[in-house]
Amino acid sequence: RWGYDWAWSAPRPGEDVNIGAVFRLAPGLMEPPPGVEGTVELVVEGDGVDAPERHYRLTASRGRVEIAEGESDAAAAAVVTGGQHAWIRALGPGGSSDELSFTGNRGLADAILAGFTAAAARRAAA
């Protein structure tokens, strides 16, 4: 969490960003507002050769967020999909989700993503 709060900025040219590591911060980073409950599946598209598609499930319940990795048979209330570059844009200080695709409960997905962008915005303002 310290790294997200104090070191998050736009990536330098050639810098590798581990989107899964950013997603894994969710339990310590987010405090969903009352009424935000449900599961959002976050899908990082692979290139089909060297990088497989990766799945992360964030579940908000009672003001907390839990994460699980890997595909699941259980249906999520929302699914957000994008490539590495799209996720970097969405989770960074600018918080632009225009390159991501959304299905299902968009309000829930936006609320979950807002937890990441709020932390990035706090850092950008510091």
Side-chain angles (χ1 to χ4, degrees), residues 32-104:
V36 172
E37 300 215 356
T39 299
V40 177
E41 184 170 357
L42 309 175
V43 181
V44 181
E45 296 171 327
D47 65 12
V49 178
D50 297 321
E53 187 171 85
R54 293 170 286 155
H55 296 255
Y56 304 86
R57 296 172 65 84
L58 296 181
T59 301
S61 177
R62 292 182 266 169
R64 298 180 42 127
V65 172
E66 295 180 2
I67 186 168
E69 294 185 48
E71 294 187 59
S72 172
D73 291 335
V79 178
V80 184
T81 305
Q84 179 85 359
H85 176 74
W87 280 111
I88 291 169
R89 286 194 61 199
L91 301 177
S96 175
S97 62
D98 61 343
E99 293 181 30
L100 297 174
S101 64
F102 294 80
T103 59

Side-chain angles (χ1 to χ4, degrees), residues 4 8-11 15-19 22 83-96 100:
Y4 199 81
W8 184 258
S9 62
E15 180 179 8
D16 181 41
V17 176
N18 185 327
I19 296 300
V22 176
Q84 179 85 359
H85 176 74
W87 280 111
I88 291 169
R89 286 194 61 199
L91 301 177
S96 175
L100 297 174

Side-chain angles (χ1 to χ4, degrees), residues 18-32:
N18 185 327
I19 296 300
V22 176
F23 290 155
R24 286 183 208 98
L25 293 172
L29 188 68
M30 295 183 186
E31 294 178 24

Side-chain angles (χ1 to χ4, degrees), residues 4 29-32 91 109-120 122:
Y4 199 81
L29 188 68
M30 295 183 186
E31 294 178 24
L91 301 177
D110 285 341
I112 293 294
L113 293 180
F116 291 108
T117 57
R122 281 193 307 269

